[in-house]
Amino acid sequence: MSKSVKKVLLFIGVALVMIFTLAPLIWAFIISISPGKELASLARHWLPDSFTLMNYKQVLSLSDNAASFKNSLLNSLIVATVTTFFSLIFGSLGAYAFARLRFRMKDRLAVIFLITQMVPSIAIALPMYLIFNRIGLLDTKSALVLANLSFTLPFIIWMMRAFFESIPKELEESAFVDGLGRFGALLRIILPISAPGLFAIGVFAYLNTWNEFNTALVLTGSSQSKTMPVVINEFLGRFSVDYGLMASSGIIGLLPPVLLTLFFQRYLVDGMTAGAVKG
Amino acid sequence: MDKSKHSDSVVIQKEGLSMRGQAILRQAARSVLSSKKMISESKFALLLLLPTIVILLGLLLYPFLYSIYLCFVDLNLTKPWVGAKFIGLDNFSAVLKDGEFWLSMETTLYFAVFSVAASMILGLAAALLFNVKFRLRGLGRSLLLIPWAMPGVVNAMIWQTMLHPNYGLLNGVLLKTGLIESPVGWLSDPKLALASVIMAQIWTSFPFVALMYLAALQSISGELIEAAKIDGAGSIRIFKDIVVKLLVPVTLVLLVLRTIDSFRVFDLVFAMTKGGPANSTQLSGLYLYKQGFMFSDFGLGSAGSYILTGFILVFVLLYMRILRQKDRV
Amino acid sequence: MKRKSSIMVLLLIVLAVAALSGCGNNSNSAAEGNTKTNAAGSDKPYAGVVLRTISNPSNQEYFAKVNKEFQEKTGIEVQTDTVGNADVTPKLMNSFMSGGSTYDIFVMDVIDLPRFVVSGWVEPVDQWLTDDMKNEMLPFAKQALQYQGKYYGLPFASEYKSFVYNKTMVEKAGFSGPPKTWDDFIKYSQALQEKGIVKYGSAWAWSQTEGLVCDFIAIASSMGGKLFDENGNPVFNSPENTAALQLMVDMIYKYKVVDPASIQYNETNVLDAMSAGDIAFELNWGLPLTPLNDESKSKIVNQADVAPLPYTVSSATIAGPMSYAISSGSKNKEAAWEYIKFLNDTEGSKRQAIEIGMFPGWKSVYEDPEVKAGVPGLDKILEQAEVAVNRPQIPWYNEWSSKFQVELQNALTQKKTPAQALADAFAETQKIQESNK
């Protein structure tokens, strides 16, 4: 295949993936700037006759009651960031143990970790509510961080383990020879090489926490802990769905994760070369 | 190989190591490890896993015990003063005898198989495409994550409105281009509804797959491929030996994670279809939700949850069997 | 070193287990601080009490205002947990399952009452209810508050569905008034469609939700059908019910006057279609003219009007009354009753009707001139209140309804004939009945 043909194919492929990814988003954007009564004619014209920023204004000014969207955005940011931070630390430590160390019950423990995530959250939500009620952490961000950690850690350990296992053992072994302990080898050799993997599981922890709804619904009660998905659900009234508000809040809610991933991108690009080890 | 060569820095070139060199290195590493300074492997493993184990035990042990307890009792909601009555396996047999449960399992199976397969293929394709260097690649990669970052309820709303027979984008486009003559009821036709829900699920879940593959592809360094080329490997062999071999562990993990996730999906159908039309999109998650929260039959709901868990476990163990045949130490 | 780390592990496990065993009993501390009552005899006997309630976001502002006034009057603070409409149920269930003290007060739908009562989750209010109150209530609203001889609240929203037609469109199609019979309805719809005024005459909330059961009961009742007899036994495989379901199916596939999208529509979608001017008839809850006359959302302002549902035997509709109820786990039941009274006695209901258009369940409020003036369209749909049918009061209602919805949809999607679907539903119902004995 000549280079230009390859280029065209690449372009077509990327374009197709982007259309699939972005078409629903653009649709959401159109809904968010359309006046309510135009929604029914959008299918025919694709764009509203007149557009409005009312929905955005309204979402950002919702503050007179429990449903303060801005507040929930902040809560979500805090919960997701803290959860991601601890997920990365605890998760990569645990994953290293599975990837490199020999210990009893290893395989069984790995499967048990996974089983904890297989039970439908419907069965888990109520007793978890009882726990946090008991220790007085209901309606706090800490409770959300802890709960989300318990959801992300098992998965993260599995994912990170796969990344660690793809790193040649010789790297570490030579580090031991050089007098680095296990911890030193993990910190100075393995983790830097695994930057792309760390980025990926960081995004995983962040976005899953960002979107977590079922547990957040059960554990929160007021604006001091309600996260964004919980507040967005409040646009669903008994016989009214505010499509405009939902779409605009969904789009505003995209900004933090998208900006963060843009910023941390570079770790995805050059893990191998960014580390202390160069070929 | 002389050890002193490496003493100043931790620079090594793994591809350059001869077999003999590797053997010596390994021996040297072992001897260092077995010396008293190094903490033993199982101790170190326990230490590393401790935070995770504490969090999981602290937060999930009780929920597990509680929900398992619910499986075996009749809460006797009608006579609260009697207390919970132990009824053995009645809840399990009630679920297993319920035709609606099996129908929901069948629907879930279709949902899981198709959404997992499609998101894996699409995700891998996207990862391979975005692994090639081109302008604005970084921005493209970030945009790729958008569907994943969308809260579930908004995702459901977007697809519901896009697939709306009269006011939706999809029918609008298809009618305008003349591909269809009358509106298609994407969510009102029992034959199409599940496919439509699967579509929405693929949209939210493929970015995760793409991201993981993208990260995995990064660790297949250029040097590794160069080295293989020097060894005289053809490009097909390189793909087979290096790329595929390194992608297999990630694929296993992704399959496991995506399967667990899609077996438990509940919000999406609850928001999009409520299980309709005529139960054609009632996934097990929704069935269990109804048993517990709407019918107040929490014992049945719990028993059903564990039956579902059993099914997921079978799937996961099957994957492991197939993909991890080689011993990975 | 070896010993040290194993001691640490042991310690942590002990700690974890200790934390867990603490969760073993179901006691609930969410209601802490709720019982700071003042000395008896003061004019604010419950001052300092905090009541917690849960609600969907509809009319938030109104309740925030009312709660504030209630606090000024009685010293009782009401904290409302606002969540999405569908999220109220799981949160409420969690409260019940953990002792019922998380929420003192909640809104209870008519279909939930029997199940909540037999589960012991809701407190009877007979000790506070006066005879005057009982005599004042509208019959269907009153029926919805009672189960097994006890009362469980005051009418909060005594709603029913009303038939709405687009007067302007119907006149344009050459008719002078609303359709009276189902034959008229089909004829009108076809005329409207032929003249290109609408694509479909009507759309209905026939998705796999409670709305479908509601619409079916309304239509079946208008054709002389009945679902359950006086003893709560199913009788819905009767010719009348079969004819009703056949009519629904035929209106989609044979006469093509009902938008097939109805199979995925809920009440919101129907309202959207009506306000977009895409259909000429709807059956919807509450005061359906209010949203249709809202400039910002509707394209048919001042075009719609209310009429009795078409019939073959006699017009009917479906009732969906709701009430505020007290959780049996509440530690502040008297204060909770004070709040319910404040919200929904005749005075409170009158205000609710005028300010947020909530249907009053009291006769005197309907007749109140202020209400008549303040709630346009209320008097017009009053005649439908008299023919509103309640759904059966059975503890396993949801279980039945869930199966029934599926069978109705089996007919609507032409998987089964109406007779077959109803026969299967009948068999399913007997099974449910048996298992709940």
Side-chain angles (χ1 to χ4, degrees), chain C residues 212-246:
Chain C
L212 172 58
V213 177
C214 291
D215 281 10
F216 176 75
I217 294 181
I219 294 171
S221 303
S222 78
M223 298 172 76
K226 207 172 170 192
L227 274 73
F228 288 83
D229 66 12
E230 290 73 24
N231 305 319
N233 292 314
V235 291
F236 47 73
N237 50 352
S238 67
E240 291 86 2
N241 290 322
T242 312
L245 188 52
Q246 187 69 53

Side-chain angles (χ1 to χ4, degrees), chain B residues 32-218:
Chain B
V32 177
L33 281 175
S34 59
S35 74
K36 267 202 160 177
K37 272 186 207 160
M38 293 293 269
I39 179 168
S40 90
E41 286 197 19
S42 53
K43 283 268 178 53
F44 190 49
L46 188 64
L47 199 68
L48 294 178
L49 283 168
L50 202 58
T52 306
I53 291 174
V54 168
I55 288 172
L56 291 183
L57 271 182
L59 286 178
L60 295 176
L61 184 64
Y62 175 68
F64 267 85
L65 295 178
Y66 183 89
S67 50
I68 290 170
Y69 155 81
L70 280 185
C71 290
F72 297 100
V73 297
D74 181 358
L75 276 188
N76 234 328
L77 294 170
T78 48
K79 296 180 209 112
W81 57 91
V82 175
K85 196 174 91 194
F86 182 76
I87 54 163
L89 295 170
D90 283 8
N91 282 328
F92 286 97
S93 69
V95 175
L96 292 173
K97 270 191 252 161
D98 188 355
E100 205 178 326
F101 173 75
W102 288 108
L103 180 67
S104 80
M105 282 304 294
E106 195 189 326
T107 313
T108 309
L109 198 66
Y110 279 122
F111 177 84
V113 168
F114 283 104
S115 70
V116 171
S119 66
M120 293 287 289
I121 293 166
L122 190 62
L124 179 60
L128 290 170
L129 286 169
F130 281 84
N131 198 38
V132 183
K133 273 206 173 96
F134 57 84
R135 255 198 307 160
L136 294 179
R137 180 176 72 164
L139 181 68
R141 282 173 169 179
S142 283
L143 294 178
L144 209 57
L145 296 178
I146 280 181
W148 188 10
M150 202 61 110
V153 59
V154 183
N155 174 30
M157 185 276 286
I158 292 175
W159 282 90
Q160 214 180 19
T161 52
M162 272 213 317
L163 299 175
H164 193 289
N166 302 323
Y167 314 134
L169 178 70
L170 188 59
N171 275 348
V173 173
L174 292 177
L175 283 169
K176 212 162 222 178
T177 52
L179 285 170
I180 54 170
E181 275 169 13
S182 58
V184 175
W186 298 106
L187 294 173
S188 51
D189 185 336
K191 291 187 206 78
L192 294 175
L194 185 61
S196 306
V197 174
I198 289 174
M199 192 69 168
Q201 170 73 2
I202 295 169
W203 188 67
T204 45
S205 60
F206 94 91
F208 165 59
V209 179
L211 175 76
M212 286 292 287
Y213 273 131
L214 212 46
L217 286 170
Q218 301 304 309

Side-chain angles (χ1 to χ4, degrees), chain A residues 17-18 35 60 77 81 97 102 104 130 142 158 193-194 199 244:
Chain A
V17 170
M18 275 292 133
L60 292 174
L77 257 170
T81 309
R102 275 168 303 182
R104 266 192 306 152
L130 296 175
S142 324
W158 269 77
I193 302 176
S194 311
F199 170 81

